[in-house]
Tab-separated table of all heavy atoms in Angstrom:
chain	number	residue	atom	x	y	z
A	1	ASP	N	0.837	-1.196	0.002
A	1	ASP	CA	0.010	0.016	-0.002
A	1	ASP	C	0.898	1.232	-0.004
A	1	ASP	O	1.125	1.863	1.033
A	1	ASP	CB	-0.920	-0.039	1.204
A	1	ASP	CG	-1.838	1.230	1.261
A	1	ASP	OD1	-1.952	1.918	0.247
A	1	ASP	OD2	-2.444	1.440	2.322
A	2	ILE	N	1.380	1.567	-1.183
A	2	ILE	CA	2.296	2.720	-1.307
A	2	ILE	C	1.597	4.023	-0.898
A	2	ILE	O	2.176	4.862	-0.176
A	2	ILE	CB	2.839	2.855	-2.744
A	2	ILE	CG1	3.872	1.775	-3.001
A	2	ILE	CG2	3.468	4.244	-2.996
A	2	ILE	CD1	5.109	1.888	-2.144
A	3	GLU	N	0.350	4.189	-1.321
A	3	GLU	CA	-0.361	5.415	-0.977
A	3	GLU	C	-0.505	5.586	0.538
A	3	GLU	O	-0.254	6.656	1.080
A	3	GLU	CB	-1.748	5.429	-1.629
A	3	GLU	CG	-2.538	6.697	-1.306
A	3	GLU	CD	-3.863	6.794	-2.034
A	3	GLU	OE1	-4.119	5.955	-2.890
A	3	GLU	OE2	-4.607	7.751	-1.766
A	4	GLY	N	-0.868	4.496	1.222
A	4	GLY	CA	-0.989	4.561	2.681
A	4	GLY	C	0.330	4.877	3.345
A	4	GLY	O	0.379	5.671	4.305
A	5	THR	N	1.435	4.282	2.826
A	5	THR	CA	2.750	4.553	3.408
A	5	THR	C	3.137	6.007	3.235
A	5	THR	O	3.599	6.646	4.199
A	5	THR	CB	3.812	3.657	2.674
A	5	THR	OG1	3.515	2.287	2.943
A	5	THR	CG2	5.216	3.996	3.215
A	6	LEU	N	2.908	6.566	2.039
A	6	LEU	CA	3.281	7.945	1.779
A	6	LEU	C	2.422	8.913	2.584
A	6	LEU	O	2.939	9.926	3.119
A	6	LEU	CB	3.159	8.234	0.310
A	6	LEU	CG	4.063	7.443	-0.631
A	6	LEU	CD1	3.848	7.867	-2.089
A	6	LEU	CD2	5.538	7.590	-0.237
A	7	ARG	N	1.140	8.648	2.703
A	7	ARG	CA	0.281	9.553	3.459
A	7	ARG	C	0.593	9.536	4.927
A	7	ARG	O	0.523	10.577	5.610
A	7	ARG	CB	-1.179	9.199	3.195
A	7	ARG	CG	-1.647	9.452	1.789
A	7	ARG	CD	-3.127	9.528	1.639
A	7	ARG	NE	-3.527	9.666	0.237
A	7	ARG	CZ	-3.466	10.828	-0.433
A	7	ARG	NH1	-3.031	11.942	0.169
A	7	ARG	NH2	-3.850	10.894	-1.707
A	8	GLN	N	1.015	8.410	5.444
A	8	GLN	CA	1.458	8.328	6.857
A	8	GLN	C	2.677	9.200	7.103
A	8	GLN	O	2.765	9.916	8.092
A	8	GLN	CB	1.711	6.898	7.258
A	8	GLN	CG	2.155	6.732	8.708
A	8	GLN	CD	2.452	5.304	9.093
A	8	GLN	OE1	2.154	4.400	8.341
A	8	GLN	NE2	3.067	5.123	10.233
A	9	ILE	N	3.634	9.130	6.183
A	9	ILE	CA	4.865	9.929	6.318
A	9	ILE	C	4.538	11.398	6.291
A	9	ILE	O	5.024	12.207	7.106
A	9	ILE	CB	5.875	9.585	5.202
A	9	ILE	CG1	6.357	8.141	5.319
A	9	ILE	CG2	7.069	10.523	5.220
A	9	ILE	CD1	7.055	7.798	6.598
A	10	VAL	N	3.669	11.806	5.349
A	10	VAL	CA	3.314	13.222	5.246
A	10	VAL	C	2.578	13.665	6.502
A	10	VAL	O	2.792	14.782	7.003
A	10	VAL	CB	2.430	13.453	3.981
A	10	VAL	CG1	1.860	14.874	3.993
A	10	VAL	CG2	3.222	13.223	2.738
A	11	GLU	N	1.680	12.815	7.058
A	11	GLU	CA	0.952	13.140	8.246
A	11	GLU	C	1.897	13.377	9.431
A	11	GLU	O	1.766	14.340	10.207
A	11	GLU	CB	-0.051	12.036	8.596
A	11	GLU	CG	-0.795	12.235	9.905
A	11	GLU	CD	-1.691	13.453	9.881
A	11	GLU	OE1	-2.066	13.948	8.796
A	11	GLU	OE2	-1.993	13.987	11.019
A	12	GLU	N	2.893	12.483	9.578
A	12	GLU	CA	3.833	12.605	10.706
A	12	GLU	C	4.630	13.930	10.560
A	12	GLU	O	4.820	14.642	11.568
A	12	GLU	CB	4.794	11.416	10.701
A	12	GLU	CG	4.110	10.127	11.113
A	12	GLU	CD	5.033	8.912	10.981
A	12	GLU	OE1	6.179	9.106	10.475
A	12	GLU	OE2	4.607	7.795	11.337
A	13	LEU	N	5.107	14.225	9.367
A	13	LEU	CA	5.876	15.458	9.175
A	13	LEU	C	5.029	16.700	9.288
A	13	LEU	O	5.470	17.737	9.716
A	13	LEU	CB	6.589	15.401	7.809
A	13	LEU	CG	7.724	14.383	7.712
A	13	LEU	CD1	8.252	14.300	6.302
A	13	LEU	CD2	8.852	14.720	8.702
A	14	SER	N	3.757	16.603	8.903
A	14	SER	CA	2.847	17.722	9.053
A	14	SER	C	2.652	18.113	10.520
A	14	SER	O	2.608	19.277	10.855
A	14	SER	CB	1.473	17.433	8.442
A	14	SER	OG	1.576	17.204	7.043
A	15	GLN	N	2.585	17.065	11.380
A	15	GLN	CA	2.432	17.367	12.826
A	15	GLN	C	3.638	17.994	13.403
A	15	GLN	O	3.548	18.837	14.333
A	15	GLN	CB	2.100	16.050	13.533
A	15	GLN	CG	0.726	15.457	13.187
A	15	GLN	CD	0.436	14.171	13.935
A	15	GLN	OE1	1.163	13.791	14.802
A	15	GLN	NE2	-0.647	13.512	13.542
A	16	SER	N	4.848	17.605	12.923
A	16	SER	CA	6.052	18.193	13.474
A	16	SER	C	6.458	19.476	12.791
A	16	SER	O	7.378	20.163	13.240
A	16	SER	CB	7.212	17.147	13.422
A	16	SER	OG	7.448	16.757	12.105
A	17	HIS	N	5.837	19.817	11.667
A	17	HIS	CA	6.106	21.056	10.925
A	17	HIS	C	4.766	21.727	10.622
A	17	HIS	O	4.358	21.831	9.441
A	17	HIS	CB	6.915	20.803	9.649
A	17	HIS	CG	8.253	20.238	9.885
A	17	HIS	ND1	8.461	18.897	10.175
A	17	HIS	CD2	9.492	20.829	9.915
A	17	HIS	CE1	9.755	18.679	10.359
A	17	HIS	NE2	10.385	19.827	10.201
A	18	PRO	N	4.067	22.202	11.648
A	18	PRO	CA	2.718	22.770	11.421
A	18	PRO	C	2.690	23.984	10.537
A	18	PRO	O	1.659	24.333	9.963
A	18	PRO	CB	2.246	23.075	12.828
A	18	PRO	CG	3.503	23.215	13.661
A	18	PRO	CD	4.482	22.288	13.083
A	19	GLY	N	3.809	24.671	10.367
A	19	GLY	CA	3.839	25.873	9.546
A	19	GLY	C	4.076	25.608	8.062
A	19	GLY	O	4.103	26.528	7.269
A	20	THR	N	4.221	24.363	7.652
A	20	THR	CA	4.539	24.024	6.283
A	20	THR	C	3.354	23.354	5.640
A	20	THR	O	2.683	22.472	6.210
A	20	THR	CB	5.745	23.059	6.198
A	20	THR	OG1	6.877	23.728	6.785
A	20	THR	CG2	6.049	22.710	4.765
A	21	THR	N	3.041	23.748	4.419
A	21	THR	CA	1.988	23.139	3.601
A	21	THR	C	2.603	22.014	2.745
A	21	THR	O	3.610	22.248	2.075
A	21	THR	CB	1.296	24.179	2.708
A	21	THR	OG1	0.708	25.168	3.514
A	21	THR	CG2	0.225	23.504	1.850
A	22	PHE	N	1.973	20.866	2.744
A	22	PHE	CA	2.420	19.739	1.880
A	22	PHE	C	1.385	19.574	0.764
A	22	PHE	O	0.210	19.350	1.037
A	22	PHE	CB	2.510	18.465	2.711
A	22	PHE	CG	3.639	18.433	3.687
A	22	PHE	CD1	3.485	19.018	4.942
A	22	PHE	CD2	4.823	17.845	3.360
A	22	PHE	CE1	4.529	19.000	5.847
A	22	PHE	CE2	5.920	17.836	4.263
A	22	PHE	CZ	5.719	18.419	5.518
A	23	GLU	N	1.863	19.735	-0.468
A	23	GLU	CA	1.028	19.535	-1.656
A	23	GLU	C	1.260	18.130	-2.206
A	23	GLU	O	2.353	17.857	-2.723
A	23	GLU	CB	1.307	20.600	-2.706
A	23	GLU	CG	0.952	22.019	-2.218
A	23	GLU	CD	1.240	23.080	-3.271
A	23	GLU	OE1	1.924	22.756	-4.266
A	23	GLU	OE2	0.728	24.203	-3.100
A	24	THR	N	0.270	17.249	-2.078
A	24	THR	CA	0.456	15.866	-2.500
A	24	THR	C	-0.452	15.474	-3.626
A	24	THR	O	-1.579	15.947	-3.730
A	24	THR	CB	0.212	14.896	-1.292
A	24	THR	OG1	-1.184	15.058	-0.877
A	24	THR	CG2	1.115	15.209	-0.121
A	25	ASN	N	0.069	14.600	-4.478
A	25	ASN	CA	-0.697	14.065	-5.586
A	25	ASN	C	-0.251	12.616	-5.752
A	25	ASN	O	0.825	12.354	-6.315
A	25	ASN	CB	-0.481	14.863	-6.877
A	25	ASN	CG	-1.344	14.332	-8.021
A	25	ASN	OD1	-2.096	13.385	-7.895
A	25	ASN	ND2	-1.230	15.014	-9.176
A	26	ILE	N	-1.037	11.669	-5.243
A	26	ILE	CA	-0.633	10.286	-5.236
A	26	ILE	C	-1.622	9.460	-6.098
A	26	ILE	O	-2.817	9.426	-5.837
A	26	ILE	CB	-0.627	9.698	-3.779
A	26	ILE	CG1	0.338	10.542	-2.908
A	26	ILE	CG2	-0.229	8.237	-3.784
A	26	ILE	CD1	0.291	10.127	-1.458
A	27	ASP	N	-1.061	8.857	-7.133
A	27	ASP	CA	-1.873	8.013	-8.041
A	27	ASP	C	-1.082	6.736	-8.326
A	27	ASP	O	-0.295	6.664	-9.274
A	27	ASP	CB	-2.165	8.779	-9.321
A	27	ASP	CG	-3.002	8.015	-10.294
A	27	ASP	OD1	-3.716	7.044	-9.876
A	27	ASP	OD2	-3.018	8.340	-11.516
A	28	THR	N	-1.265	5.738	-7.472
A	28	THR	CA	-0.462	4.518	-7.529
A	28	THR	C	-1.369	3.282	-7.574
A	28	THR	O	-1.335	2.445	-6.635
A	28	THR	CB	0.505	4.437	-6.338
A	28	THR	OG1	-0.281	4.562	-5.121
A	28	THR	CG2	1.500	5.586	-6.393
A	29	PRO	N	-2.167	3.105	-8.633
A	29	PRO	CA	-3.069	1.949	-8.692
A	29	PRO	C	-2.376	0.598	-8.973
A	29	PRO	O	-2.913	-0.442	-8.633
A	29	PRO	CB	-4.027	2.335	-9.836
A	29	PRO	CG	-3.186	3.178	-10.737
A	29	PRO	CD	-2.312	3.976	-9.818
A	30	GLU	N	-1.176	0.644	-9.597
A	30	GLU	CA	-0.487	-0.597	-9.946
A	30	GLU	C	0.137	-1.217	-8.732
A	30	GLU	O	0.635	-0.555	-7.828
A	30	GLU	CB	0.584	-0.317	-11.021
A	30	GLU	CG	0.038	0.288	-12.301
A	30	GLU	CD	-0.892	-0.648	-13.006
A	30	GLU	OE1	-0.647	-1.869	-12.979
A	30	GLU	OE2	-1.885	-0.125	-13.595
A	31	PRO	N	0.167	-2.569	-8.650
A	31	PRO	CA	0.799	-3.245	-7.504
A	31	PRO	C	2.295	-3.037	-7.520
A	31	PRO	O	2.966	-3.034	-8.571
A	31	PRO	CB	0.431	-4.716	-7.750
A	31	PRO	CG	0.162	-4.831	-9.202
A	31	PRO	CD	-0.441	-3.530	-9.615
A	32	VAL	N	2.877	-2.856	-6.326
A	32	VAL	CA	4.300	-2.576	-6.180
A	32	VAL	C	4.886	-3.610	-5.211
A	32	VAL	O	4.315	-3.888	-4.177
A	32	VAL	CB	4.561	-1.188	-5.626
A	32	VAL	CG1	6.050	-0.900	-5.488
A	32	VAL	CG2	3.922	-0.128	-6.537
């Protein structure tokens, strides 16, 4: 679940860097 992995990382960094905006675009339908 690449999308879930990436969104978790962004969430963790968002909490520790509340003043920064993260612009994400994740489109990973193919199995990895």
